């Protein structure tokens, strides 16, 4: 497979992506805060030319890159979900594998076509019943090909249960059945058969399937995510992909030209989003023509490629997820990956000689870096750095403002690339554009535009003239503290029919800024760093354009005041970072000989040695912060847990937006973070007040946290921005909230009945949720628990004595039975564990 990601592509034509995403339903309606709220006083907001993406009703998103590669983002980015993926004649379906295809209406988008064709109705066909046997099947998907022409035949798999039917003409066929239940193994069952002159039944016996995967000699490594699929001649494929460690089983078979592809990502056992693995295995293998009776590929670490990748963080500790997709020469594939350290190294072990496309996602997966495809040889290779500050615009492979049909199409969505030139985007950022001609006419003016949409101008005059393009990109997000704003002012010359010398791309100047002396979080110590910049002009001959940097400036107050830096001939300059600087903003200017210029400001380009405290500008205020209805957040070990949090925000002009997140430890160096599943939605109460609500959904503590030590007191960081853009408040610890391991308590009083004044033995057990690899509930040792009694007919319990749990969490004590009533144990909780009370056990005293 070749991969889906949250990126964009051009040149898309001919086929359709069906994205039926069938995750467990979210609690309440999907928030709309993440959608682009775009307005255009002049011009038209539209999806970028070549952008392919589907935003589904439950908050999931499927994006297409370069016309071929899929990036699937679940409603909650930390949820571990396995999808079934298939392509038939260029039509790709993507569905969570545990649900029925009919449970959601599909959405569609256009992708590159393949050479195969879907069969049309034949004159003589016979009913073929397809049945998965010796299995409990709820949802399933069947795919059928003629094994001589490899023409595909559509099968309606919507019905509940293990069977479907298809009409087929006489011939020889190869078929695949996919089925999986949530958090259960997945099955890829293959069968060949012949249709003669009568109806028939074809059985897919689950008992014949064998576990498949790639194993290493590293016993500490375990599967984090996987893609397993069958590829048939002509380019069609069917299989599973996703962030899930469940086993996958496949039927052994021999079929010329058919391949079983396996892509496994492994990491250290017990790793999680907040405690990522220090290493990562990226392994691929193909079984072609014959899938053996033991379809498991064994590899040794010594036989793999090895490299150390430095992952930098955007000014704060956050979560990061490195994804990849191998290139087998097929037309599509799915990115899968694993959590990696942010602000630290990860050692990668990779199948040598295979080209991988790669993405690095941060936080909620809205910010990502699009990394160059990479092929590593066996042995050790030089490492690379990802995400180095300053984050800044980097010209995207498929995004650039253009001239088309006498209009400008303004598309500068790749605003958060890194200092090493990796393209980067943040789906939560919003841009404004304004284009003014030298004739004084405003040809485009729009705001609130996300990275996946562009703004087209009104019709341009035929004559060539100079234009000024102003763009501002703004974001305030929980996973990054750098690059809060990017401001660009370009001048360039263009007619309505010719933008530049080599095509329709506008001849805008690009600049790349680097800062030597930053750490892995994008922070500088007090002292001198070296800032350097280079510039080029798009769509122009470099020699004749003569593009050059003309100035570098720095600011420690977000651009209110500036210090001009002494620019050397090579475009670099020293800058003495003050000890009191929390953030440093940079400005670069450049010109060319074609009448073009650039003035770019990178607000909070990197962090300084001082720590930024709470911030308030203007009259924006936050109050009434409530998490989980004012109750502790108690989490067991299973997925699909959720809670909400809200606050009141006020400003004389009203509230534009706000959000919050939870963190454990200190604000500047948290040990763990928990983000809302979507941006908070701020509902207007009156002209000055809004209630901002964040939903924390699909929580799975073993994946989100992975450590019991993370239970305890967490803090809430929250912020709000005014409607007029002039005010905001950012509170770093506006509330504390207990995030606790759930507890359970049992009781049993015996004998029952009991003679009056005889001894009654009361046993029980106190256990609590394990957020680590073991899971389940396990005994809570050495805890004081109250034994309580409620007399028959009474309404309240009275504490009789306190009992301490033993080394396995068990409780045992004796009391004298004097009257009928109910016995129970009650645990008051601890700083890390929730309260628990057993149900009363009634004892009849005679």
């Amino acid at each position: 497979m070749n991969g889906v990601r949250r990126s964009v592509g051009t040149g898309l034509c001919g086929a359709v992506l069906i994205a039926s995403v069938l995750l467990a339903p979210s609690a309440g309606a999907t928030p709309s805060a993440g959608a682009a709220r775009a307005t255009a006083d002049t011009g038209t907001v539209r999806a970028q030319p070549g952008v392919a993406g589907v935003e589904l009703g439950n908050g999931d998103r499927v994006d297409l890159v370069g016309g071929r590669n899929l990036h699937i983002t679940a409603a909650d980015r930390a949820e571990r979900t396995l999808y079934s993926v298939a392509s038939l004649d260029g039509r790709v379906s993507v569905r969570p594998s545990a649900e029925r295809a009919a449970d959601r209406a599909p959405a569609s988008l256009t992708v590159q076509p393949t050479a195969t064709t879907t069969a049309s109705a034949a004159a003589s066909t016979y009913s073929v019943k397809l049945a998965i046997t010796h299995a409990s099947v709820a949802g399933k998907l069947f795919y059928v090909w003629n094994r001589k022409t490899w023409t595909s035949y559509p099968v309606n798999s919507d019905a509940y249960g293990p069977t479907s039917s298809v009409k087929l003409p006489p011939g020889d066929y190869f078929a695949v059945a996919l089925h999986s239940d949530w958090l259960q193994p997945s099955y890829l069952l293959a069968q060949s058969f012949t249709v003669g002159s009568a109806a028939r039944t074809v059985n897919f016996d689950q008992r014949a399937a064998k576990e498949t995967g790639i194993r290493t000699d590293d016993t500490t490594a375990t599967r984090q995510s996987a893609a397993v699929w069958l590829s048939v001649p002509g380019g069609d494929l069917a299989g599973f992909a996703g962030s899930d460690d469940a086993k996958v089983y496949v039927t052994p078979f021999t079929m010329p030209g058919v391949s079983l592809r396996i892509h496994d990502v492994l990491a250290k056992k017990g790793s999680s989003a907040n405690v990522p693995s220090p290493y990562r295995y990226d392994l691929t293998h193909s079984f072609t023509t014959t899938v053996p009776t033991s379809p498991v590929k064994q590899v040794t670490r010594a036989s793999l490629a090895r490299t150390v990748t430095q992952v930098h963080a955007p000014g704060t500790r956050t979560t990061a997820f490195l994804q990849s997709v191998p290139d087998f020469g097929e037309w599509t594939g799915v990115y899968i990956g694993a959590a990696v350290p942010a602000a630290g190294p990860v050692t990668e072990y990779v199948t040598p000689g295979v080209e991988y496309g790669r993405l690095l996602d941060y936080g909620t997966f809205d910010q990502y870096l699009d990394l160059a495809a990479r092929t590593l040889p066996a042995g050790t290779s030089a490492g690379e750095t990802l995400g180095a500050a300053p984050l800044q615009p980097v010209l995207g492979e498929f995004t650039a403002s253009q001239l088309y049909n006498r209009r400008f199409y303004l598309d500068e969505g790749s605003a958060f690339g890194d200092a090493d030139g990796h393209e980067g985007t943040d789906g939560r950022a919003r841009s404004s554009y304004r284009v003014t001609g030298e004739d004084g006419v405003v040809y485009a003016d729009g705001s609130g535009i996300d990275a996946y949409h562009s703004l087209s101008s009104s019709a341009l005059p035929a004559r060539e003239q100079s234009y000024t393009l102003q763009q501002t990109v703004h974001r305030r997000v929980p996973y990054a503290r750098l690059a809060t704003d990017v401001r660009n002012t370009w001048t360039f010359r263009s007619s309505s029919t010719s933008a530049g010398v080599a095509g329709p791309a506008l001849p805008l100047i690009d600049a790349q800024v680097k800062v030597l002396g930053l750490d892995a979080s994008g922070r500088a110590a007090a002292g001198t760093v070296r800032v350097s910049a280079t510039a080029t002009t798009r769509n122009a001959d470099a020699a004749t354009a003569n593009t050059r940097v003309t100035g570098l400036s720095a600011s420690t107050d977000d651009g209110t005041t500036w210090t001009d830096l002494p620019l050397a001939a090579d475009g670099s300059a020293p800058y003495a970072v003050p000890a009191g600087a929390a953030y440093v903003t940079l400005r670069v200017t450049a010109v060319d000989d074609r009448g073009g210029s650039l003035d770019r400001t990178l607000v909070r380009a990197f962090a300084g040695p001082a720590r930024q405290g709470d911030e308030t500008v203007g009259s924006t205020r936050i109050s009434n912060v409530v998490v989980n209805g004012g109750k502790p957040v108690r989490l067991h070990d299973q997925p699909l847990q959720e809670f909400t949090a809200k606050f009141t925000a006020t400003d004389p002009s009203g509230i534009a937006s706000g959000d919050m997140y939870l963190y454990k430890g200190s604000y500047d160096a948290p040990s763990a973070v928990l983000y809302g599943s979507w941006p908070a939605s701020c509902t207007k109460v009156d002209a000055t007040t809004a209630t901002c609500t964040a939903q924390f959904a699909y929580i799975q503590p073993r994946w989100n946290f992975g450590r019991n030590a993370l239970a305890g007191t967490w803090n809430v960081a929250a912020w709000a921005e005014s409607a007029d853009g002039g005010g905001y408040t950012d509170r770093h610890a506006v509330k504390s909230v207990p995030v606790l391991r759930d507890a359970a308590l049992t009781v049993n009083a015996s004998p029952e009945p009991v003679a009056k004044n005889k001894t009654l033995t009361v046993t029980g057990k106190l256990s609590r949720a394990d957020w680590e690899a073991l899971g389940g509930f396990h005994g809570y040792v050495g805890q004081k628990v109250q034994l309580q009694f409620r007399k028959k007919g009474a309404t309240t319990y009275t504490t009789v004595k306190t009992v301490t749990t033993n080394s396995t969490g068990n409780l045992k004590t004796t009391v004298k039975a004097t009257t009928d009533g109910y016995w129970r144990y009650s645990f008051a909780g601890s700083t890390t564990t929730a309260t628990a009370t057993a149900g009363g056990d009634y004892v009849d005293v005679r």
Side-chain angles (χ1 to χ4, degrees), residues 587-724:
R587 183 173 65 193
V588 57
T589 58
V591 298
D592 63 24
D593 288 349
R594 302 184 60 198
S597 68
L598 167 68
D599 187 326
R600 170 170 294 163
T601 299
L602 306 175
V603 178
R604 304 195 174 186
F606 61 92
R611 296 302 189 261
Q612 179 68 59
D614 288 356
E615 297 179 83
T616 297
V617 175
S619 301
T620 311
R621 299 292 185 269
I622 285 174
S623 61
N624 302 326
V625 180
V626 179
V627 179
N628 195 35
K631 299 177 293 185
V633 176
R634 50 192 302 162
L635 300 173
H636 51 73
D637 70 320
Q638 295 300 304
L640 297 182
Q641 301 179 72
E642 63 182 36
F643 64 90
T644 59
K646 62 182 180 180
F647 61 83
T648 300
T650 60
D651 187 88
S653 69
I655 296 298
S657 63
D659 210 342
M660 64 175 76
Y661 71 98
L662 273 63
Y663 65 91
K664 173 75 170 174
S666 71
Y667 178 78
D668 290 307
S671 54
V673 291
L674 183 64
Y675 303 127
S677 302
W678 306 275
S681 59
C682 292
T683 303
K684 184 177 179 179
V685 176
D686 55 38
T688 63
T689 306
T691 299
C692 298
T693 303
Q695 189 171 8
F696 298 81
Y698 304 108
I699 300 168
Q700 184 174 2
R702 280 200 286 165
W703 168 243
N704 295 90
F705 305 146
R707 295 294 182 272
N708 291 323
L710 294 177
T713 300
W714 287 53
N715 291 305
V716 179
W719 60 91
E721 297 183 310
S722 66
D724 63 5

Side-chain angles (χ1 to χ4, degrees), residues 20-36:
S20 300
V21 179
L22 311 174
L23 290 175
S26 61
T30 302
S32 60

Side-chain angles (χ1 to χ4, degrees), residues 273-328:
N274 275 290
V275 188
S277 172
Y279 63 79
R280 178 183 190 273
Y281 286 88
D282 207 342
L283 308 176
T284 58
H285 185 72
S286 294
F287 293 105
T288 301
T289 298
T290 297
V291 175
T293 55
S294 179
V296 174
K297 175 63 176 177
Q298 297 285 344
V299 299
T300 63
R301 187 164 62 181
S303 68
L304 301 173
R306 178 186 181 277
T307 188
V308 177
T309 301
Q310 301 290 333
V311 180
H312 284 206
T316 183
R317 186 196 188 282
T318 186
T319 53
F321 202 75
L322 182 59
Q323 303 199 67
S324 61
V325 56
D327 187 352
F328 283 110

Side-chain angles (χ1 to χ4, degrees), residues 545-830:
N546 188 27
T547 310
R548 58 214 180 261
V549 174
T550 57
L552 284 170
S553 304
S555 170
T556 58
D557 53 13
D558 293 346
T560 301
T561 59
W562 292 96
T563 298
D564 292 332
L565 307 185
L567 188 66
D570 64 356
S572 69
Y575 174 61
V577 180
Y583 295 101
V584 176
T585 295
L586 294 176
R587 183 173 65 193
V588 57
T589 58
V591 298
D592 63 24
D593 288 349
R594 302 184 60 198
S597 68
L598 167 68
D599 187 326
R600 170 170 294 163
T601 299
L602 306 175
V603 178
R604 304 195 174 186
F606 61 92
R611 296 302 189 261
Q612 179 68 59
D614 288 356
E615 297 179 83
T616 297
V617 175
S619 301
T620 311
R621 299 292 185 269
I622 285 174
S623 61
N624 302 326
V625 180
V626 179
V627 179
N628 195 35
K631 299 177 293 185
V633 176
R634 50 192 302 162
L635 300 173
H636 51 73
D637 70 320
Q638 295 300 304
L640 297 182
Q641 301 179 72
E642 63 182 36
F643 64 90
T644 59
K646 62 182 180 180
F647 61 83
T648 300
T650 60
D651 187 88
S653 69
I655 296 298
S657 63
D659 210 342
M660 64 175 76
Y661 71 98
L662 273 63
Y663 65 91
K664 173 75 170 174
S666 71
Y667 178 78
D668 290 307
S671 54
V673 291
L674 183 64
Y675 303 127
S677 302
W678 306 275
S681 59
C682 292
T683 303
K684 184 177 179 179
V685 176
D686 55 38
T688 63
T689 306
T691 299
C692 298
T693 303
Q695 189 171 8
F696 298 81
Y698 304 108
I699 300 168
Q700 184 174 2
R702 280 200 286 165
W703 168 243
N704 295 90
F705 305 146
R707 295 294 182 272
N708 291 323
L710 294 177
T713 300
W714 287 53
N715 291 305
V716 179
W719 60 91
E721 297 183 310
S722 66
D724 63 5
Y728 71 89
T729 186
D730 187 347
R731 303 279 301 281
H732 297 175
V734 70
K735 185 82 172 180
S736 62
V737 58
V739 178
L740 306 177
R741 298 164 65 181
D742 199 9
L745 191 54
T746 62
V747 66
N748 181 52
S750 64
E752 300 178 52
V754 64
K756 188 172 183 177
N757 294 323
K758 294 295 184 180
T759 298
L760 188 68
T761 301
V762 186
T763 60
K765 183 171 184 176
L766 175 64
S767 57
R768 58 177 177 169
D770 184 1
W771 292 353
E772 300 189 5
L774 188 60
F777 279 67
H778 305 283
Y780 194 6
V781 178
Q783 299 302 304
K784 295 184 181 303
V785 178
Q786 291 180 335
L787 176 65
Q788 298 178 333
F789 178 72
R790 176 168 66 88
K791 186 177 180 180
K792 181 180 178 180
T795 58
T796 60
Y797 279 89
T798 300
T799 298
V800 176
K801 63 170 65 176
T802 298
V803 185
T804 302
T805 58
N806 67 9
S807 61
T808 57
N810 289 321
L811 294 157
K812 185 177 181 180
T813 191
T814 59
V815 293
K816 181 181 292 187
T818 59
T819 187
D820 295 349
Y822 299 84
W823 294 91
R824 74 178 186 183
Y825 281 117
S826 180
F827 174 59
S830 68

